[in-house]
Amino acid sequence: MREDVSLAIIQSVVDSQKDLIIIFYNDEPILVNGAFKEFFSVSSLEQYKSEFGSFVSNFVPHPSYFHADKINGSSSWFDTVLELPEIERVVSMMTPNYEPHAFSVGINKIEEYIIVVFTDITQTLIKRIMIENRANIDAKSGAYARNYFLQIAQSYQDAAVFNEKIMSAVLIQVSKKDGSNLRDDESALKALATRFKSITRQDDMLIRWSDDTFLLIYLVDTVKNAQIMLKKLDAISKSAEIKGVEYDFTLIVQNDGESIKTFIKRVGS
């Protein structure tokens, strides 16, 4: 069988796959499939090579995923990935429109050739996060449980560093005018959580911090912007008062270089 016919057959087979497939020879890509070209919005491997740098630079440098900074010494990224447990062989890559996707990485070596298959697991991760979130919701209020936040706090801090933001928090102290304990009033707790969440963004976290306290955690680039959220909370607390409930808001902003543990201690004090 002629070499050009064999190559055409291989190209046809890989183009039929929905996973991103790329074949390397001496660490250089020599063949990609249609799904790969569609993801990177290129018409050919030649265009990809001319518009993108080294392949490993495609991996988003986020602590939750494998990326260039995690390569072991002088090892190749292929070998480093193969040394990881299968569950950790995950990378994040962005489309030209800056849409992040998560991929599991499969690597197969055949002499000097390396076949890499990237399987998009973005939706799988989203579903897993949703399941985890439902399991870590405070049943009485519908806000996140305090223990859940404490478990993922370091990841939240990592996200702040990655996005060049700082963490900010508003401690929301709620009291009932008649002196009764709020923890026994489930309808009021749910109403409060719903109201506070109405002004939050996708990455903000509303947490049931204690019996009568909520904590709103969010990322900002300046202290001035942190104060905007405080003003919004104050406004909604006055716009439609929940009967018999009073509020007290305290803003806490992360200091330069402050660790997440120290920040949480200040929040809880």
Side-chain angles (χ1 to χ4, degrees):
M1 185 180 292
R2 298 197 316 272
E3 184 178 342
D4 58 338
V5 174
S6 300
L7 184 59
I9 292 173
I10 293 172
Q11 187 70 63
S12 177
V13 170
V14 297
D15 281 343
S16 68
Q17 306 300 306
K18 64 180 181 179
D19 297 330
L20 277 57
I21 300 175
I22 181 167
I23 300 177
F24 293 85
Y25 180 76
N26 290 333
D27 294 344
E28 286 294 321
I30 60 170
L31 184 146
V32 295
N33 70 337
F36 181 96
K37 289 184 283 189
E38 182 179 355
F39 182 83
F40 286 102
S41 296
V42 295
S43 60
S44 65
L45 175 59
E46 288 68 31
Q47 183 186 355
Y48 170 80
K49 287 181 176 180
S50 68
E51 295 183 4
F52 293 82
S54 64
F55 187 78
V56 73
S57 66
N58 290 313
F59 302 155
V60 176
H62 189 279
S64 298
Y65 303 101
F66 173 82
H67 55 84
D69 292 343
K70 294 186 178 182
I71 297 175
N72 295 329
S74 60
S75 297
S76 68
W77 74 265
F78 312 106
D79 291 332
T80 304
V81 168
L82 288 173
E83 291 171 1
L84 296 172
E86 189 170 347
I87 195 172
E88 295 180 17
R89 297 174 188 175
V90 179
V91 299
S92 177
M93 296 190 291
M94 288 191 180
T95 68
N97 293 326
Y98 302 102
E99 299 168 341
H101 287 248
F103 296 89
S104 63
V105 184
I107 298 176
N108 187 24
K109 292 185 175 183
I110 303 176
E111 296 181 353
E112 298 92 354
Y113 297 90
I114 300 174
I115 304 169
V116 184
V117 179
F118 295 96
T119 301
D120 194 326
I121 58 171
T122 307
Q123 293 302 315
T124 302
L125 284 179
I126 290 172
K127 289 178 181 177
R128 188 183 75 187
I129 290 169
M130 288 176 66
I131 292 170
E132 289 176 350
N133 286 351
R134 283 197 293 270
N136 291 283
I137 294 293
D138 173 64
K140 287 187 175 181
S141 67
Y144 286 110
R146 174 172 174 154
N147 285 342
Y148 174 64
F149 171 70
L150 295 177
Q151 289 171 11
I152 59 92
Q154 185 59 55
S155 296
Y156 207 82
Q157 166 67 15
D158 291 341
V161 173
F162 178 72
N163 290 287
E164 298 182 344
K165 305 283 188 181
I166 55 174
M167 294 181 63
S168 185
V170 176
L171 197 63
I172 308 168
Q173 184 78 35
V174 185
S175 58
K176 300 190 73 173
K177 294 178 180 178
D178 62 7
S180 61
N181 198 316
L182 186 66
R183 70 181 178 188
D184 301 319
D185 193 339
E186 188 170 322
S187 62
L189 287 169
K190 288 187 182 297
L192 288 165
T194 299
R195 176 174 297 174
F196 298 143
K197 285 192 289 186
S198 69
I199 62 165
T200 62
R201 303 162 300 180
Q202 183 177 355
D203 296 328
D204 300 339
M205 291 188 70
L206 180 68
I207 304 147
R208 176 95 183 277
W209 201 244
S210 66
D211 285 351
D212 57 1
T213 306
F214 289 90
L215 183 69
L216 180 59
I217 293 280
Y218 53 103
L219 303 182
V220 293
D221 50 5
T222 65
V223 174
K224 183 177 180 180
N225 285 337
Q227 294 168 338
I228 292 174
M229 181 65 80
L230 183 62
K231 292 177 181 178
K232 287 182 179 180
L233 284 168
D234 189 53
I236 65 166
S237 70
K238 296 174 180 176
S239 62
E241 182 183 0
I242 294 178
K243 187 176 180 179
V245 172
E246 296 178 321
Y247 310 86
D248 184 55
F249 302 107
T250 304
L251 177 65
I252 307 103
V253 180
Q254 189 176 27
N255 297 319
D256 289 341
E258 185 177 26
S259 70
I260 183 63
K261 289 184 179 179
T262 303
F263 179 69
I264 290 175
K265 283 182 180 178
R266 284 204 296 123
V267 168
S269 62

